[in-house]
Amino acid sequence: MIGILGAGAFGTALAVALAQGGRSVRLWARSPEDVARMAATHRNDDRLPGVVLPPKVSFHADAGDLLEAEVLLFCVPMQSLGGFLARHQDQFARQPMVACCKGVDLETLRGPVSVIQAARPDVAAAILTGPSFAADIARGLPTALTLASRDSANVELQTLLSTSSLRIYRTDDVTGAELGGALKNVIAIAAGVVIGAGLGDSARAALMTRGYAEMVRLATRLGARAETLAGLSGFGDLVLTCTSPQSRNFRHGHALGRGQAFDSGVTVEGVATATAVVRLARQLGVEMPVTEMVDALVSGRVTVEDAIPNLMTRPLKQE
């Protein structure tokens, strides 16, 4: 049995895909009302409209109901992960814990795996990341993801989480996988700004390229392998989130570029990640001008009208 903590769009989509692949899934939601509604309808239309959850998915408001799971998938927002683990860790056994969120914790400047390891050093910790939209996963469309762990349980988890439509690759480069998934959200906000401001696809391509250079620069400074950033968890995810309006980060940036408000109820992981990464990069002496500009934009310290010229007038250099 697989336990999924978090019944947002991504957690619900994984529950659908894994149950359709023959796994029994227990899906935890914070709200007892949501649990009762999903149990009655086998739908989660607030998060994933039009999708019917298979019979092998059961619904739970008590995290202790997932005690017997072979693995726990944490589909909660990155900035909530540490607090969630602190509140519920006594309800879990020693099964592997897999983060399904992307970002850098604002308080500790840690990635998801490090947050899990700090809370539960006695369990195998991993991250599931890569180019994926919840709606595609739930519809059974082909999706490939990266599972990163330093633990030998990586191979067993790869098999357990793979289905006919969900192809899982594995790596032991946790730092590369964490930072690829985190940083691409920041660059996706910038890409949205570019398109929203009407600067065109050529400008977006340039932005993505220079943003990718920043991703590699910071990740390798922290010990990641450059080839990990060239894979699904880095380049693959970057392309998806910078080019599709399904991406919340891209949509947020697009609204910024057009001078429009964005729904404050939608979680946009790249906003907090930009702030955290700027702090981390400064500590390490790593230059990240795109990330710094995104942080300044989302915090309201600069306007779009100021941001673009500031990037374009940086000193000329060799690529």
Side-chain angles (χ1 to χ4, degrees):
M1 181 263 289
I2 295 173
I4 299 179
L5 295 135
F10 197 72
T12 304
L14 285 177
V16 172
L18 292 168
Q20 288 176 339
R23 319 299 193 263
S24 293
V25 177
R26 292 185 183 178
L27 179 63
W28 174 90
R30 180 176 53 190
S31 164
E33 292 77 17
D34 289 343
V35 169
R37 185 174 61 253
M38 288 188 291
T41 65
H42 266 257
R43 298 170 71 98
N44 189 6
D45 285 331
D46 288 346
R47 299 292 186 169
L48 209 57
V51 175
V52 176
L53 284 86
K56 281 183 171 289
V57 180
S58 60
F59 309 95
H60 305 265
D62 183 352
D65 290 347
L66 280 61
L67 188 66
E68 298 174 359
E70 296 175 67
V71 59
L72 295 173
L73 307 184
F74 289 85
C75 299
V76 298
M78 177 64 215
Q79 302 307 322
S80 303
L81 180 61
F84 183 91
L85 286 164
R87 290 191 301 274
H88 295 285
Q89 61 176 314
D90 292 340
Q91 295 176 276
F92 307 134
R94 294 187 60 186
Q95 62 267 76
M97 296 182 174
V98 180
C100 299
C101 49
K102 302 171 183 178
V104 176
D105 183 72
L106 268 170
E107 292 187 10
T108 64
L109 303 186
R110 290 172 171 154
V113 173
S114 296
V115 169
I116 292 174
Q117 289 175 326
R120 289 294 304 265
D122 58 324
V123 305
I127 182 171
L128 186 65
T129 184
S132 54
F133 288 136
D136 292 347
I137 292 174
R139 291 169 57 198
L141 299 179
T143 303
L145 298 172
T146 295
L147 178 72
S149 172
R150 301 183 183 95
D151 194 273
S152 59
N154 209 351
V155 178
E156 289 76 15
L157 289 178
Q158 179 186 32
T159 301
L160 182 64
L161 299 176
S162 294
T163 72
S164 59
S165 62
L166 200 59
R167 183 173 177 82
I168 309 296
Y169 291 83
R170 68 177 187 273
T171 180
D172 61 0
D173 185 2
V174 170
T175 300
E178 284 184 320
L179 287 174
L183 296 172
K184 62 88 188 178
N185 281 335
V186 179
I187 308 306
I189 292 175
V193 170
V194 165
I195 298 302
L199 301 179
D201 288 331
S202 297
R204 171 165 53 182
L207 183 283
M208 290 171 62
T209 304
R210 297 314 304 161
Y212 178 71
E214 290 188 14
M215 292 168 60
V216 174
R217 195 153 56 234
L218 180 63
T220 53
R221 174 69 175 78
L222 287 166
R225 299 191 293 268
E227 56 264 32
T228 304
L229 276 294
L232 290 167
S233 59
F235 180 74
D237 214 354
L238 178 71
V239 171
L240 184 69
T241 34
C242 287
T243 59
S244 173
Q246 288 192 68
S247 164
R248 291 169 294 182
N249 292 279
F250 178 86
R251 294 202 311 273
H252 182 70
H254 193 270
L256 275 174
R258 293 176 64 87
Q260 299 172 343
F262 190 74
D263 184 354
S264 60
V266 175
T267 300
V268 182
E269 296 280 24
V271 172
T273 297
T275 300
V277 169
V278 165
R279 295 176 190 166
L280 183 59
R282 288 174 179 168
Q283 287 181 10
L284 297 170
V286 177
E287 189 178 28
M288 301 190 73
V290 175
T291 301
E292 289 186 0
M293 193 56 65
V294 170
D295 179 47
L297 272 172
V298 298
S299 65
R301 300 197 305 273
V302 302
T303 65
V304 173
E305 291 73 19
D306 293 332
I308 304 302
N310 286 346
L311 284 175
M312 293 301 292
T313 56
R314 284 174 46 78
L316 300 176
K317 57 185 284 189
Q318 181 173 331
E319 186 178 30

